[in-house]
Amino acid sequence: RAAIQRDELSIFFQPIVDLETGRIRTFEALVRWFHPEKGELRPDEFIPVAEETGVIITLGNWITAQAAKAAAQWPEDVTIAVNLSPVQIRAPGAALGILTALRDAKLDPRRLELEVTESLFIDDNQHTARFIEDLSAEGVRFALDDFGTGYSSLGYINKFPFKKIKVDRSFVSGPNVGLKSDAIIRAVAEMGSTLEMEIVAEGLETIDQVHAVRAAGCTLGQGYYFSRAVPDYLAAMLLAQEQDSDPAARLAS
Ligand code: G
Ligand code: G
Ligand code: MN
């Protein structure tokens, strides 16, 4: 709570790139905490605490509001993705909090994507379905994050209007990548193309990985190869650079 008041939190933005054109299509908002004594704290460390204490509701609304304000400065075809914790979604008035942030920032709801993980559906309830339906009706889009790590139930994809699936980075880089992970990415991408969903490969660190996931059918890519998460002024600069140079050069080597 104090961190919000003391202004120690900021939102960083990591680009998600079109694997056809090399252009930035979306920035994912990722929260950062710069503690005066402890230095940078990772969201993996403090988000769970914020969830346990309920602070995630205030924090989440703050993050969505900041992210929407930043996105309102970008070209209209660039969207913003915000991660939502299940606790945040289950809170009363959750949809209203998001719509208020959009209205205050004057951001078209179609420019907001909400990233949710499967853990949201573990104790599936009507409230969750209602939240997704209500915001979808306003034009907000939903992405299924970290796909491939949990139960990866296809039932959720069948039931909810996801526009995007984010294939977890463990399928893209690291020790467990190979023929098997490649076949899995291909199968997910094939389904995505039939259902007209975007498939994002997360964790791209090398140009070879970029080429591999594009060949496997992923339509979007994210990872250190393109950029780390950066502060808002650098995100704006990345977009400005696209005007002066050929974004497709990002995909060549
Ligand atoms: O880059 P990174 O270390 O920021 O993120 C680590 C984890 O924290 C990821 O799983 C990411 O989804 C989560 N995370 C980052 N920012 C936010 C946020 O604003 N809200 C929520 N709920 N989770 C976030
Ligand atoms: O779970 P979610 O997809 O929201 O988490 C994003 C997390 O992935 C953040 O911690 C972010 O910093 C991290 N990340 C983004 N790109 C890369 C990458 O290329 N390699 C690795 N190892 N981590 C990445
Ligand atoms: Mn995410």
Side-chain angles (χ1 to χ4, degrees), residues 2-154:
I4 302 178
Q5 274 158 13
R6 290 196 303 246
D7 234 5
E8 291 168 8
L9 298 172
S10 36
I11 313 292
F12 275 40
F13 300 90
Q14 188 180 34
I16 301 177
V17 170
D18 190 313
L19 293 178
E20 210 53 56
T21 64
R23 283 190 166 275
I24 296 171
R25 292 262 302 271
T26 306
F27 279 98
E28 178 174 2
L30 294 161
V31 67
R32 297 287 179 260
W33 182 357
F34 299 98
H35 191 280
E37 280 117 43
K38 295 182 181 146
E40 185 178 337
L41 299 177
R42 298 177 39 85
D44 300 346
E45 297 171 292
F46 65 82
I47 294 279
V49 180
E51 288 179 335
E52 280 162 32
T53 55
V55 172
I56 191 70
I57 294 160
T58 312
L59 178 60
N61 281 332
W62 181 84
I63 292 167
T64 308
Q66 298 298 309
K69 274 185 212 155
Q73 309 298 316
W74 303 335
E76 283 193 1
D77 56 352
V78 179
T79 57
I80 178 81
V82 175
N83 293 285
L84 288 192
S85 140
V87 179
Q88 220 181 319
I89 295 172
R90 290 190 198 118
L96 194 64
I98 286 165
L99 293 172
T100 305
L102 287 169
R103 186 152 21 85
D104 290 350
K106 299 190 171 60
L107 190 76
D108 184 336
R110 282 170 295 193
R111 291 180 63 196
L112 177 67
E113 266 167 34
L114 298 175
E115 295 193 2
V116 302
T117 57
E118 277 187 308
S119 58
L120 177 62
F121 305 108
I122 299 279
D123 28 23
D124 188 3
N125 56 50
Q126 286 180 323
H127 180 80
T128 299
R130 184 75 194 271
F131 175 87
I132 295 181
E133 277 164 26
D134 287 357
L135 288 173
S136 295
E138 297 287 331
V140 175
R141 290 159 214 229
F142 284 85
L144 189 55
D145 206 358
D146 301 337
F147 189 73
T149 56
Y151 292 97
S152 302
S153 161
L154 301 175

Side-chain angles (χ1 to χ4, degrees), residues 14-15 28-30 32 42-44 82-83 115 117 145-147 166-169 172-173 201-206 209 222-229:
Q14 188 180 34
E28 178 174 2
L30 294 161
R32 297 287 179 260
R42 298 177 39 85
D44 300 346
V82 175
N83 293 285
E115 295 193 2
T117 57
D145 206 358
D146 301 337
F147 189 73
K166 300 188 78 178
V167 178
D168 189 72
R169 67 170 181 265
V172 171
S173 54
E202 298 184 307
L204 295 172
E205 294 181 356
T206 68
Q209 289 164 356
Q222 177 177 11
Y224 299 160
Y225 172 76
F226 295 115
S227 171
R228 291 182 175 255

Side-chain angles (χ1 to χ4, degrees), residues 146-226:
D146 301 337
F147 189 73
T149 56
Y151 292 97
S152 302
S153 161
L154 301 175
Y156 308 130
I157 294 172
N158 196 27
K159 181 166 175 202
F160 296 103
F162 290 108
K163 294 284 185 299
K164 192 181 265 188
I165 294 175
K166 300 188 78 178
V167 178
D168 189 72
R169 67 170 181 265
S170 58
F171 291 89
V172 171
S173 54
N176 297 319
V177 166
L179 274 178
K180 277 201 214 168
S181 58
D182 191 63
I184 293 167
I185 294 180
R186 274 174 200 277
V188 176
E190 171 74 29
M191 175 182 73
S193 111
T194 310
L195 299 176
E196 295 183 335
M197 297 164 87
E198 302 270 10
I199 305 298
V200 189
E202 298 184 307
L204 295 172
E205 294 181 356
T206 68
I207 185 69
D208 289 344
Q209 289 164 356
V210 171
H211 288 157
V213 298
R214 190 174 53 179
C218 294
T219 55
L220 298 169
Q222 177 177 11
Y224 299 160
Y225 172 76
F226 295 115

